[in-house]
Amino acid sequence: MRRRTLLGGAVAAPLLAACSGGGGGTDSGGRTTLSYGMWDPAQVPGMEKIIAAFEKRNPRISVRIQLTPWASYWTTLKTSMRGGTAPDVFWMNAVNFQLYAANGVLEPLSGHIKADATPVDRHPKALVKLYSYRGTQYGLPKDFDTIGLWYNKQLFDKAGITYPDASWTWDDVRDAAAELTDPRRRVHGFAAEMDRQIKIYPAICGADGYVLENGRSGFGDERSIDGMRYLTDMIDRGWSPPQSAMVESVGRVRYWSEKVAMNYDLSAMAGQMYAVPALKDHGGIAVLPRGKRRATIIHGLANVISAKSDKKAAAWKFVHFMAGREAAEIQAKAGATISSYEGTQDAWIKSMPEFDLKNFIEMQEYAVPYPSSKNTAVWENLQYPLLGAAFSGKGGIENAARTLGEQMDRALKEERDS
């Protein structure tokens, strides 16, 4: 029996039938109002400024933000697509992109891009490629994030340890984690939690392994196992809390509360870190330490247009504007995230001068794109149940990783056969 896709069958068919509309729908009075779906409240102020600039240039088009919490964003989007009420333009991530593109619910953008000379080449090539499916572009990047090493300068000073820098390797992190761990004060040197984007994938790539390559899982590869062992060893040695202790209080929260001295985390968290006075004063940022090679993970969001929108002409004007320099500069000054438009990141760096944010930008040179396939969520959902024991200090990362690799390969085969 073939696996039903999340948007497949009866859902996709009516959407495809509705895609043939010309897309010039307007409100009464000839004014067009677009709905714009997003999930991050921290980016709302910046988006409102971008929208104001767009509306000034396009006085007959209005844009209304539809903010949906991350926890319910994808469920709400799927339901709204079935009901014909999906936003005209909305945020897309790499995990879900291929599934949506394959089911015909996104408007193809390649023709629009060519006709209007949209500056796609000013965005990182890896990000642009993330939102292309079978040779057609369906999304345009708006931002990107990389993973860096956040550290607490005050805890380092107390321990008399030199701050991390670009020369650090995994051995340096291990040595520092051992010295920084203080059971009496319940402080751990590192947070090796089971988080795929900010911990597991960077560690695998840093060990010269891979997550997904040529349609095959890399979890059973010895290099990938070495990467995950780098994390689980720190749990086994007591330098990191076990996963079972980080369900309620994740590594990010422990770093905020100054109970973890080092933590891998997203560049997109900089704004929230900056709002914590203690971290603004003594929070530090370094590039990820080198394992067998230097690596981080790059991911970014894209703007896409619903294929069912009856306002496609106006929707494209908005997406085209969002991909340009003016919108990127406004977003960068807002400080919520790194604009993906080349040459506009300085405003983001200057928005938080106490943080060494340029490290996130410089890591683009060796960043690995977030791995994805058509049904990414299916094989990603296998990871936490199968790796949970090893990340809770019970050992066995080698067998768990090999089992995960085998089950992921089965899921990928079903994906190809569906």
Side-chain angles (χ1 to χ4, degrees), residues 89-297:
V89 180
F90 54 92
W91 283 7
M92 177 55 63
N93 67 4
V95 173
N96 291 281
F97 166 68
Q98 290 192 35
L99 180 63
Y100 279 71
N103 281 289
V105 297
L106 303 181
E107 171 73 358
L109 303 182
S110 296
H112 297 293
I113 291 168
K114 185 176 181 181
D116 288 344
T118 307
V120 176
D121 60 341
R122 301 306 299 269
H123 298 265
K125 193 176 294 183
L127 286 186
V128 174
K129 188 178 178 183
L130 266 182
Y131 294 102
S132 172
Y133 182 72
R134 294 185 175 176
T136 298
Q137 198 70 34
Y138 289 91
L140 290 178
K142 62 174 282 296
D143 59 33
F144 74 85
D145 52 57
T146 56
I147 316 300
L149 175 63
W150 293 80
Y151 61 94
N152 186 307
K153 293 177 181 176
Q154 192 170 65
L155 293 176
F156 270 72
D157 290 342
K158 284 181 181 176
I161 301 173
T162 306
Y163 299 151
D165 60 25
S167 71
W168 271 41
T169 67
W170 285 2
D171 286 339
D172 294 310
V173 172
R174 292 187 185 101
D175 291 344
E179 291 190 52
L180 289 160
T181 297
D182 184 348
R184 191 167 50 85
R185 296 184 177 183
R186 297 183 179 180
V187 172
H188 288 88
F190 191 78
E193 69 191 314
M194 194 170 50
D195 184 296
R196 58 177 68 95
Q197 183 178 4
I198 65 175
K199 303 286 168 58
I200 296 175
Y201 294 173
I204 286 175
C205 295
D208 203 25
Y210 63 98
V211 176
L212 174 65
E213 200 170 274
N214 300 321
R216 298 281 300 177
S217 170
F219 276 96
D221 186 281
E222 292 303 316
R223 296 166 298 177
S224 300
I225 293 173
D226 284 345
M228 287 181 279
R229 192 183 293 115
Y230 161 65
L231 299 174
T232 57
D233 274 355
M234 283 198 269
I235 294 170
D236 295 342
R237 293 171 186 268
W239 303 336
S240 166
Q243 179 61 33
S244 54
M246 288 192 281
V247 174
E248 296 296 329
S249 181
V250 299
R252 181 176 298 150
V253 173
R254 287 172 179 267
Y255 177 75
W256 284 356
S257 58
E258 304 191 82
K259 293 299 182 184
V260 156
M262 295 180 288
N263 190 43
Y264 286 10
D265 211 340
L266 293 161
S267 53
M269 288 298 109
Q272 294 186 37
M273 304 279 193
Y274 200 69
V276 179
L279 297 185
K280 181 180 176 182
D281 287 345
H282 47 255
I285 302 164
V287 300
L288 288 190
R290 178 190 292 272
K292 289 182 179 175
R293 71 180 179 98
R294 197 170 288 289
T296 188
I297 298 296

Side-chain angles (χ1 to χ4, degrees), residues 295-347:
T296 188
I297 298 296
I298 186 170
H299 178 259
L301 303 181
N303 288 307
V304 297
I305 299 174
S306 168
K308 201 174 184 181
S309 171
D310 63 351
K311 303 166 185 173
K312 290 176 188 169
W316 167 247
K317 282 188 177 182
F318 182 53
V319 170
H320 174 73
F321 180 80
M322 292 281 285
R325 186 178 189 92
E326 182 179 355
E329 288 179 335
I330 295 171
Q331 179 174 257
K333 288 176 183 172
T337 185
I338 309 174
S339 165
S340 57
Y341 192 99
E342 183 183 356
T344 62
Q345 290 87 26
D346 279 354

